[in-house]
Amino acid sequence: MPERLAGMPLDLWTPLLVLWMALPPCAPAAPTGPAPVFLGGPPLEPSRLSDEQRVLNRSKRGWVWNQMFVLEEFSGPEPILVGRLHTDLDPGSKKIKYILSGDGAGTIFQINDITGDIHAIKRLDREEKAEYTLTAQAVDWETNKPLEPPSEFIIKVQDINDNAPEFLNGPYHATVPEMSILGTSVTNVTATDADDPVYGNSAKLVYSILEGQPYFSIEPETAIIKTALPNMDREAKEEYLVVIQAKDMGGHSGGLSGTTTLTVTLTDVNDNPPKFAQSLYHFSVPEDVVLGTAIGRVKANDQDIGENAQSSYDIIDGDGTALFEITSDAQAQDGIIRLRKPLDFETKKSYTLKVEAANVHVDPRFSSRGPFKDTATVKIVVEDADEPPVFSSPTYLLEVHENAALNSVIGQVTARDPDITSSPIRFSIDRHTDLERQFNINADDGKITLATPLDRELSVWHNITIIATEIRNHSQISRVPVAIKVLDVNDNAPEFASEYEAFLCENGKPGQVIQTVSAMDKDDPKNGHYFLYSLLPEMVNNPNFTIKKNEDNSLSILAKHNGFNRQKQEVYLLPIIISDSGNPPLSSTSTLTIRVCGCSSDGVVQSCNVEAYVLPIGLSMGALIAILACIILLLVIVVLFVTLRRHKNEPLIIKDDEDVRENIIRYDDEGGGEEDTEAFDIATLQNPDGVSGLAPRRDVKPELQLLPRRGPGAGPGGVDVDEFISVRLHEADSDPAAPPYDSIQVYGYEGRGSAAGSLSSLGSGASDSDQSFDYLSDWGPRFQRLGELYAGGAADADT
């Protein structure tokens, strides 16, 4: 029945379906399967049945539904009849009451307790709840006792097409490479329908494209989107908007639909070659541009993007391939032309280059679209610039003999102005490289002359810098290093390599080598040193010594005889003439000192002094030294003893005639405290009223006495301060009650006061102007001047 009504409008088949479901149940002619039993009569007891009745008779059963159906979303002026309950025990006497319980009983479903009719009192939604399980029971109307066991049944909500398809994940985005073939899969989209997928066609979806044709197509059932045109070009159009529709009811008329959008982006492939914006580029560059400077940029445009647009640049031809280079800028996708070698406008004024741009990443699928490269011509014009002078050589090496005459020319440097309008050049020496000013240069022709004498033995090399400056433009200068080597001449005579002193044994043998000497020469001949040795002419027939030249350029001195005696002659002087092999040769005379010494039997020198012969027999030199050391030690002890005794007998008090003015006395001993009675008497520190008589004391005269320094002259008032201090010091030194020199006195008693009173103004309430200083004159002539000074100060303050 529902299948037949599927194509009918909702307002026609819904009432029919309700009426059909509300019809009372009828018993089929013969049961074809297990019929649902809702309510039945009580079964017969097996004991009351005969065997025949068991075979021929069967208990009567009531056929009722155990499933009921109600159409969703149906609403009307009255409740909808869902079905009717009936039991075989109901004779129609209205003594049976029907009770309904379970899902929605009383709220959604209501039962007529007399007739058993079940009605839906609310609008149902299958998508919210698809079925309800309820329990029905027949009870006695009066006693409410159940007449039979409760029976369970299900009310199913029957679906209608009330939900449109939805794309839950939309809108969608997808990509597909450009130039793809026809039918290339792009993506697939899926819609959902909340209706019942097993009942009717309410959830059967069909997909279609509303917008996006003829570029893309979609399979109606799987929703797979494919390209509908081949070779779509990203450079022509990169993005497409596709509108997709999903319609239920299998796409038939009356079905519900939903739409979504799909944005398809074409991804790039390398299907376009690079192309220069222009076939000829012009650049100009000054000839003095720094190496590595960017001269210009060229760019080959590529319609592709990303790595598909990357191009490498090369110089493939031209007359400046050695002077210029081109590099690729990955960010700007252009080529940068740079200078590799210096330019010279006077040599060549222009260059022509042929540059090529080629794609780095080539796709072989599109190789038939042509070579993925392009070429262009670059014209570079060199501009003239004011260049500094150019020396004929990057460095100069000059040689001069150390005995060269002053102002003699030792070499020459040359330079020129490379510009077309050549400027005269002036030469000078960088004096920072020639601090001693040993060289001069001619400013016009660059000739270098000697200013001071040279000495190869002091310095072999002199490195100076020559400056060339354009006269027309002083800012254009060049520098060149000049190395001057001083050549050696034979200007130093040879001499002994060191101070030699030879020793000759008295018991030596004739022909014995006394000493071997060598010579040195400050000069540096090319073939090395070769010395000639000889004796003075008057010493050729020397009866004592002779000389012998060795192969290693040294000289040996030999004794002619034996029997030398120190008592007769202790020292012999042997002059030796040393000549070099220079041109002209130089010579000098060096004297060798030979001492006669006493030696042991095996030739070991023991003593070379004549005084050794006066020693007692059997007394060695070591014993003599020990005796002398003992004598010296005894003498030192005696001297120290005498000095200490003399120092002890000196008076403790400084003499009156000694001047102690401005002496600085250093006290290394501050005293031993109260127990140190040697330094002072503690009674002297007490109150003099409690001390009777004079306490004895011992003064220690300071060991350090500085010379008195002349004091300043008398003051303006004629008072001689130095004389005053000197008299007071003399009185203190002569007073036996004065404190010791090397003690620190700590006075706990301040005294009984002074006749002068206190000079402090702390307790005075009057100002200085109110005081009179005339009483100072009563203290004596020494305070008269002080009174005048204070009185004068007060008068000045009043003024």
Side-chain angles (χ1 to χ4, degrees):
M1 181 66 181
E3 287 78 2
R4 294 181 180 180
L5 299 177
M8 297 179 63
L10 183 63
D11 56 348
L12 294 179
W13 63 263
T14 301
L16 295 176
L17 182 61
V18 172
L19 292 175
W20 174 68
M21 295 178 61
L23 290 176
C26 58
T32 58
V37 178
F38 184 70
L39 293 174
L44 297 175
E45 296 182 1
S47 61
R48 297 179 182 181
L49 297 177
S50 63
D51 295 338
E52 183 179 358
Q53 287 175 334
R54 289 192 184 98
V55 174
L56 298 177
N57 298 329
R58 63 178 181 177
S59 61
K60 186 178 179 180
R61 300 176 60 189
W63 293 91
V64 294
W65 294 341
N66 67 346
Q67 286 191 13
M68 295 183 183
F69 296 90
V70 60
L71 200 64
E72 71 168 333
E73 302 293 346
F74 181 79
S75 63
E78 296 181 358
I80 303 172
L81 179 62
V82 178
R84 177 178 297 169
L85 300 180
H86 181 70
T87 177
D88 294 341
L89 302 178
D90 186 3
S93 60
K94 301 182 180 179
K95 293 184 178 181
I96 298 176
K97 182 171 62 175
Y98 295 96
I99 299 175
L100 184 66
S101 62
D103 293 341
T107 58
I108 300 176
F109 302 102
Q110 194 175 41
I111 188 170
N112 189 320
D113 54 358
I114 298 176
T115 62
D117 293 339
I118 300 175
H119 292 82
I121 62 176
K122 287 186 177 181
R123 187 174 183 174
L124 302 178
D125 187 0
R126 187 201 69 83
E127 287 72 35
E128 182 178 348
K129 190 173 180 63
E131 61 181 32
Y132 297 85
T133 301
L134 295 98
T135 302
Q137 191 174 23
V139 300
D140 185 84
W141 181 268
E142 296 179 354
T143 63
N144 286 332
K145 292 182 178 181
L147 300 177
E148 56 184 16
S151 297
E152 187 177 86
F153 67 98
I154 297 174
I155 298 178
K156 290 189 176 181
V157 182
Q158 205 165 20
D159 182 55
I160 64 173
N161 190 18
D162 61 339
N163 291 280
E166 293 182 356
F167 292 91
L168 301 179
N169 298 323
Y172 299 90
H173 296 270
T175 60
V176 64
E178 65 169 332
M179 308 305 293
S180 297
I181 62 175
L182 180 65
T184 301
S185 177
V186 179
T187 186
N188 68 320
V189 295
T190 303
T192 58
D193 197 319
D195 294 325
D196 192 354
V198 299
Y199 178 77
N201 294 327
S202 297
K204 186 178 181 180
L205 304 181
V206 175
Y207 298 91
S208 61
I209 292 180
L210 300 181
E211 184 180 342
Q213 297 173 339
Y215 306 104
F216 302 95
S217 63
I218 189 171
E219 293 185 359
E221 296 181 357
T222 61
I224 297 176
I225 301 172
K226 300 179 180 180
T227 58
L229 289 179
N231 300 328
M232 287 189 291
D233 192 2
R234 184 199 66 84
E235 288 72 34
K237 187 176 182 180
E238 183 177 5
E239 194 172 84
Y240 296 85
L241 182 66
V242 182
V243 179
I244 302 170
Q245 182 189 50
K247 190 173 184 181
D248 58 11
M249 299 298 293
H252 292 89
S253 176
L256 303 178
S257 63
T259 60
T260 188
T261 59
L262 170 66
T263 302
V264 182
T265 303
L266 299 182
T267 58
D268 185 62
V269 297
N270 191 11
D271 59 337
N272 294 281
K275 187 70 176 178
F276 279 105
Q278 57 194 68
S279 59
L280 179 62
Y281 293 86
H282 291 274
F283 301 108
S284 60
V285 55
E287 63 174 331
D288 59 349
V289 69
V290 180
L291 298 182
T293 302
I295 296 174
R297 291 175 176 259
V298 297
K299 184 172 184 178
N301 298 319
D302 196 323
Q303 296 182 5
D304 299 321
I305 59 176
E307 66 176 15
N308 296 322
Q310 291 182 2
S311 298
S312 61
Y313 295 85
D314 293 294
I315 300 175
I316 59 176
D317 196 8
D319 55 359
T321 56
L323 277 74
F324 302 94
E325 63 179 357
I326 187 170
T327 57
S328 302
D329 188 347
Q331 299 296 330
Q333 296 296 330
D334 54 4
I336 307 173
I337 302 175
R338 300 181 184 274
L339 183 65
R340 293 178 55 189
K341 295 183 179 180
L343 299 174
D344 188 5
F345 172 81
E346 290 72 25
T347 303
K348 190 172 179 62
K349 297 178 175 59
S350 64
Y351 296 90
T352 302
L353 305 176
K354 186 176 182 180
V355 296
E356 179 186 73
N359 275 153
V360 177
H361 305 283
V362 178
D363 194 337
R365 296 178 300 173
F366 308 104
S367 58
S368 60
R369 299 174 70 92
F372 286 79
K373 60 179 66 176
D374 193 19
T375 59
T377 302
V378 178
K379 186 82 171 180
I380 300 176
V381 177
V382 181
E383 298 178 350
D384 188 23
D386 191 3
E387 299 176 84
V390 178
F391 284 95
S392 59
S393 176
T395 59
Y396 290 89
L397 176 61
L398 306 179
E399 293 182 347
V400 56
H401 287 87
E402 60 178 327
N403 61 348
L406 297 181
N407 299 323
S408 60
V409 178
I410 61 176
Q412 184 179 11
V413 297
T414 58
R416 63 177 183 85
D417 184 4
D419 299 321
I420 296 179
T421 58
S422 180
S423 171
I425 305 298
R426 294 188 64 86
F427 299 95
S428 61
I429 297 178
D430 185 356
R431 291 304 177 182
H432 292 90
T433 61
D434 185 24
L435 298 177
E436 297 180 358
R437 295 182 174 269
Q438 290 189 292
F439 306 97
N440 290 325
I441 189 171
N442 190 300
D444 298 325
D445 56 13
K447 292 182 178 180
I448 301 173
T449 57
L450 185 62
T452 60
L454 299 175
D455 188 355
R456 189 203 66 85
E457 286 69 39
L458 296 178
S459 180
V460 179
W461 289 95
H462 297 272
N463 297 304
I464 62 175
T465 299
I466 303 300
I467 302 174
T469 307
E470 289 187 10
I471 295 179
R472 297 177 183 174
N473 186 359
H474 293 170
S475 63
Q476 297 296 333
I477 62 174
S478 296
R479 298 171 178 267
V480 66
V482 178
I484 302 174
K485 183 179 181 180
V486 181
L487 302 178
D488 184 54
V489 295
N490 192 22
D491 57 345
N492 291 279
E495 56 187 9
F496 277 157
S498 63
E499 294 290 337
Y500 293 102
E501 186 176 10
F503 298 95
L504 174 62
C505 293
E506 291 180 311
N507 56 354
K509 299 177 181 180
Q512 181 180 1
V513 176
I514 301 173
Q515 182 71 39
T516 300
V517 298
S518 59
M520 59 167 290
D521 195 332
K522 295 181 181 179
D523 296 322
D524 187 18
K526 295 180 180 180
N527 299 327
H529 290 290
Y530 180 79
F531 301 112
L532 297 176
Y533 301 93
S534 62
L535 298 175
L536 292 177
E538 61 272 16
M539 299 290 293
V540 173
N541 297 323
N542 189 325
N544 299 318
F545 307 101
T546 183
I547 61 176
K548 177 185 177 182
K549 177 67 181 297
N550 299 322
E551 295 181 359
D552 60 353
N553 214 15
S554 63
L555 180 68
S556 296
I557 292 90
L558 295 81
K560 284 187 175 183
H561 60 85
N562 58 359
F564 290 93
N565 192 338
R566 282 181 287 174
Q567 291 183 338
K568 293 182 179 180
Q569 187 170 352
E570 179 187 3
V571 178
Y572 293 89
L573 301 177
L574 183 62
I576 300 175
I577 300 174
I578 309 173
S579 302
D580 59 18
S581 57
N583 186 18
L586 296 179
S587 62
S588 66
T589 301
S590 298
T591 302
L592 177 65
T593 302
I594 303 174
R595 293 184 177 275
V596 181
C597 301
C599 302
S600 62
S601 60
D602 54 358
V604 177
V605 177
Q606 293 183 342
S607 176
C608 298
N609 297 326
V610 179
E611 289 77 4
Y613 281 94
V614 301
L615 296 176
I617 299 175
L619 190 61
S620 63
M621 180 61 66
L624 179 62
I625 294 175
I627 294 173
L628 292 177
C630 293
I631 295 174
I632 293 174
L633 181 60
L634 292 175
L635 291 176
V636 171
I637 293 173
V638 172
V639 171
L640 290 176
F641 180 76
V642 173
T643 303
L644 292 176
R645 289 294 299 272
R646 179 177 298 178
H647 178 71
K648 186 176 182 181
N649 294 331
E650 289 180 356
L652 298 179
I653 304 301
I654 303 176
K655 296 181 179 180
D656 296 342
D657 55 352
E658 292 183 356
D659 191 356
V660 295
R661 287 182 299 173
E662 299 188 13
N663 286 348
I664 298 176
I665 308 302
R666 183 181 66 188
Y667 295 95
D668 294 332
D669 183 11
E670 296 183 356
E674 296 179 356
E675 297 179 356
D676 187 3
T677 58
E678 296 295 331
F680 58 88
D681 186 0
I682 193 65
T684 60
L685 303 181
Q686 305 301 328
N687 189 339
D689 295 337
V691 179
S692 61
L694 297 176
R697 45 165 279 201
R698 295 180 57 188
D699 291 337
V700 180
K701 182 179 180 181
E703 298 180 359
L704 179 61
Q705 293 289 336
L706 299 179
L707 293 177
R709 186 179 64 182
R710 183 177 180 183
V719 178
D720 190 348
V721 179
D722 288 347
E723 182 181 355
F724 171 75
I725 295 175
S726 178
V727 172
R728 289 301 181 187
L729 287 176
H730 180 69
E731 292 175 356
D733 293 340
S734 302
D735 186 3
Y741 292 102
D742 58 350
S743 62
I744 297 178
Q745 305 297 330
V746 178
Y747 294 94
Y749 175 72
E750 296 184 354
R752 293 189 296 267
S754 173
S758 176
L759 297 179
S760 173
S761 61
L762 295 177
S764 175
S767 63
D768 293 342
S769 59
D770 298 335
Q771 295 182 11
S772 175
F773 299 96
D774 296 337
Y775 62 89
L776 295 178
S777 300
D778 300 336
W779 294 357
R782 298 187 182 278
F783 290 90
Q784 185 177 3
R785 177 57 181 169
L786 184 62
E788 295 176 357
L789 292 176
Y790 272 87
D796 294 340
D798 295 338
T799 304

